[in-house]
Amino acid sequence: MHRYQQAQTFLSEQDPDFAKLIAEIGDCQLILKSERDPYEALVRAVAYQQLSTKAGDAILAKFKAHFGGKFPTPEQLAHAEFDALRACGFSGRKVETTKGIAQGALTGLVPTLAQAEHMCDEDLIERLVALKGIGRWTVEMMLIFTLQRPDILPVDDFGVREGYKRLKSLTDAPTPKALAEIGLAWQPYRTVASWYLWRVPK
């Protein structure tokens, strides 16, 4: 049985448009990065903020090359030169944000993977948005792809809202607040629902 079969069946029974979409796309292929810890997941998410995947990949490649081809430890990142990180392609604001994440990992504000696994979604969001430059969306990406949380709906995500607009043939995408209300029907499988909404054909 496919690991997301229960979620797919549930969503298909909830909504005929979802049933059609799931039949068209096939099984959910959500790829998880559970070997990463919250510190690395957050730094990676910041690298991709407001950029294409290709541009984010290029920045991360330069970033790792600067640290000898490996992802830096929080200590290494905290002590890295500002201009050296700018040279990797980070904006000044992103340099400040990534350094803040590194400091947070050193002080214990950013939990280890083991600690995060014992915290609920909202507690993690509330704790990590205290970091400068980290918003709810960034933490939600970590919850989905690193911590494998099954019930995350990133309502601020442009792709998710546009996907719902196309799924329902709407003139306008729903507001984040409206999508949050709509998404209550998809509990407890909102992560899989989000994955499919990202893939609604254009």
Side-chain angles (χ1 to χ4, degrees):
M1 183 171 163
H2 190 268
R3 67 177 297 174
Y4 297 114
Q5 191 61 56
Q6 202 169 348
Q8 291 167 201
T9 301
F10 176 84
L11 293 168
S12 296
E13 289 171 351
Q14 284 289 317
D15 186 328
D17 291 320
F18 254 120
K20 188 179 168 191
L21 176 68
I22 290 167
E24 190 178 335
I25 302 287
D27 286 334
C28 175
Q29 303 293 334
L30 180 61
I31 298 169
L32 304 164
K33 313 287 187 192
S34 55
E35 70 280 4
R36 294 179 189 155
D37 60 8
Y39 152 73
E40 182 174 339
L42 289 172
V43 172
R44 285 176 176 272
V46 169
Y48 286 97
Q49 276 175 355
Q50 298 170 317
L51 293 175
S52 67
T53 302
K54 189 176 176 184
D57 286 346
I59 288 171
L60 270 179
K62 287 182 188 172
F63 178 66
K64 286 168 74 175
H66 177 70
F67 293 100
K70 291 184 178 174
F71 204 88
T73 64
E75 290 88 352
Q76 287 174 314
L77 181 51
H79 294 116
E81 292 288 329
F82 186 93
D83 289 342
L85 296 177
R86 286 282 285 119
C88 296
F90 285 109
S91 66
R93 190 175 65 81
K94 285 188 177 182
V95 172
E96 288 176 6
T97 299
T98 54
K99 280 183 159 289
I101 295 166
Q103 287 292 349
L106 293 172
T107 62
L109 175 68
V110 177
T112 63
L113 186 57
Q115 289 168 337
E117 283 170 349
H118 290 95
M119 295 174 70
C120 74
D121 299 338
E122 283 303 322
D123 284 350
L124 277 163
I125 290 168
E126 190 178 327
R127 181 157 159 180
L128 293 172
V129 296
L131 291 163
K132 186 179 176 185
I134 296 297
R136 187 181 179 92
W137 177 88
T138 306
V139 184
E140 286 170 337
M141 293 305 103
M142 182 198 77
L143 290 170
I144 290 173
F145 294 105
T146 302
L147 297 179
Q148 308 180 29
R149 297 296 168 90
D151 197 30
I152 303 297
L153 177 62
V155 296
D156 297 309
D157 189 279
F158 176 79
V160 168
R161 282 168 36 221
E162 283 294 305
Y164 187 80
K165 179 181 111 172
R166 293 196 298 274
L167 182 73
K168 295 296 181 181
S169 304
L170 303 174
T171 309
D172 299 304
T175 63
K177 188 178 178 184
L179 187 60
E181 284 289 318
I182 293 162
L184 292 174
W186 308 330
Q187 291 177 305
Y189 301 113
R190 287 180 292 184
T191 296
V192 172
S194 301
W195 187 89
Y196 279 105
L197 291 174
W198 273 319
R199 283 158 183 79
V200 179
K202 289 180 178 164

